[in-house]
Amino acid sequence: MPPERLQDIARLGEVLVISEAETPVACVITRPSRDFPGTLYLGTLAVAPEARGQGLARRLMEAVMKVAHSRGEWGASLDTWS
């Protein structure tokens, strides 16, 4: 994703990153949901292949819920595809 696009997204919501040795290994990008008011929409949740199995996605989701609650929102939502 181009840095300019990431900056645009970050202005709308939150970008949370977990780094190891100053290298990003996991991130989540959120914004207020247009479809489910009162929730944060998860646009991206990604963990680098070499960092999987360490609970990083769980840590990110816990952080997302803290952000949502601090903003007065009750949860998070996402779209899935079959």
Side-chain angles (χ1 to χ4, degrees), residues 31 35-36 41-43 77-81:
R31 62 166 168 74
D35 299 319
F36 300 100
Y41 170 74
L42 301 175
S77 62
L78 70 124
D79 292 332
T80 60
W81 300 88

Side-chain angles (χ1 to χ4, degrees), residues 13-80:
E14 302 286 335
V15 178
L16 306 174
V17 178
I18 297 175
S19 297
E20 293 179 359
E22 299 184 30
T23 300
V25 293
C27 73
V28 63
I29 300 171
T30 70
R31 62 166 168 74
S33 175
R34 292 185 287 256
D35 299 319
F36 300 100
T39 68
L40 289 180
Y41 170 74
L42 301 175
T44 299
L45 174 64
V47 178
E50 64 275 9
R52 292 181 183 157
Q54 299 176 31
L56 300 181
R58 178 184 44 77
R59 285 177 44 201
L60 285 171
M61 286 307 303
E62 289 170 353
V64 165
M65 294 308 293
K66 285 181 182 178
V67 168
H69 292 151
S70 74
R71 294 173 62 154
E73 309 212 8
W74 58 269
S77 62
L78 70 124
D79 292 332
T80 60

